Amino acid sequence: NITWWDAVLYCNELSKKAGLEECYDLGGLSCSGEEGNGYQCNGEPMFKGLDCKGYRLPTEAEWEYAARAGTTTAIYTGEIDIQSEYNVPNLGMIAWYGGNSGVVYEGGWDCSAWPDKEQQATWCGPHPIGQKWSNDYGLSDMLGNVWEWTWDWHGNTYYGTLDGEGLAVDPLGPAKGADHRVVRGGSWGFWWRAAMRYWVAPAHRTPDLGLRPARSIP
């Protein structure tokens, strides 16, 4: 239930708490709403760049690099084994997705009608992190559980080439002017693979939206 704007504010507060540089400057923006409840601004924060020492949202390219952990397959344990829409056994070993995300706490989503689930459940939702196999970088829950906001505006070409001369290096996504920010990783309600991507309005919030703060290596 976290918006992109809330994710930006959270990263800044996390930096302040740790005594680190804040990576986003919201000065000069006209903002409305309460933090955590409809907060949004009429422009975009000034991002201090990848050299910033504080916490920030990963770029889309950084996110995929971290999710793949050196692999080139659909998921980091190999090619995806789709038995049915909600039955993907080898994904279930590393992710909470639509086929195995049953919960018993209040506030879950009614998933009783989802067909052929890997594990039968009446209610589904997000789970505490770190219960599934991590990748070779030691990162868990990169796929499934909740979508993860990235810094980037959405662009259809996803970086293609840089001036027609090879692949872009450490790209920051399209220039200001797009309408949606990129989220990656899928959620507890879907199955997903490392290469697939989605886009959401920055002020949007749903029960399957979250974040994963990042820091550049000092």
Side-chain angles (χ1 to χ4, degrees):
N1 270 313
I2 189 169
T3 68
W4 184 87
W5 286 106
D6 289 333
V8 165
L9 294 177
Y10 181 86
C11 288
N12 270 358
E13 289 299 317
L14 198 59
S15 296
K16 287 169 59 178
K17 184 176 181 179
L20 299 169
E21 176 186 13
E22 295 177 38
C23 293
Y24 303 113
D25 183 356
L26 279 70
L29 297 181
S30 175
C31 303
S32 61
E34 300 177 358
E35 296 178 10
N37 185 21
Y39 183 89
Q40 59 182 311
C41 302
N42 66 345
E44 69 170 14
M46 191 277 286
F47 175 40
K48 296 181 181 178
L50 300 180
D51 291 333
C52 178
K53 295 179 174 59
Y55 289 94
R56 57 181 175 80
L57 294 176
T59 66
E60 186 178 3
E62 287 176 325
W63 185 95
E64 186 167 337
Y65 185 94
R68 289 189 174 281
T71 64
T72 58
T73 48
I75 57 179
Y76 63 77
T77 51
E79 296 301 337
I80 199 163
D81 178 23
I82 303 171
Q83 303 293 316
S84 68
E85 183 176 3
Y86 291 100
N87 187 0
V88 189
N90 63 340
L91 178 61
M93 295 187 297
I94 64 172
W96 299 109
Y97 76 107
N100 71 349
S101 58
V103 298
V104 295
Y105 57 75
E106 294 183 4
W109 185 272
D110 183 355
C111 59
S112 58
W114 296 357
D116 303 321
K117 292 193 288 290
E118 178 186 346
Q119 299 173 9
Q120 293 306 306
T122 302
W123 303 95
C124 294
H127 287 66
I129 62 170
Q131 300 183 49
K132 296 291 186 179
W133 293 359
S134 60
N135 65 20
D136 284 348
Y137 291 167
L139 300 172
S140 59
D141 300 286
M142 292 297 296
L143 300 180
N145 215 18
V146 293
W147 292 99
E148 299 181 6
W149 287 106
T150 71
W151 162 257
D152 301 34
W153 289 110
H154 174 257
N156 290 327
T157 59
Y158 189 28
Y159 310 131
T161 60
L162 184 64
D163 297 327
E165 298 179 359
L167 298 178
V169 176
D170 294 335
L172 297 178
K176 177 181 175 181
D179 295 324
H180 299 87
R181 298 281 181 173
V182 177
V183 292
R184 295 294 298 261
S187 78
W188 52 265
F190 303 88
W191 62 262
W192 221 248
R193 60 186 73 209
M196 296 189 73
R197 49 205 296 266
Y198 199 59
W199 51 95
V200 180
H204 190 62
R205 56 187 297 174
T206 63
D208 57 357
L209 275 174
L211 80 152
R212 183 184 299 260
R215 283 188 66 199
S216 293
I217 297 174

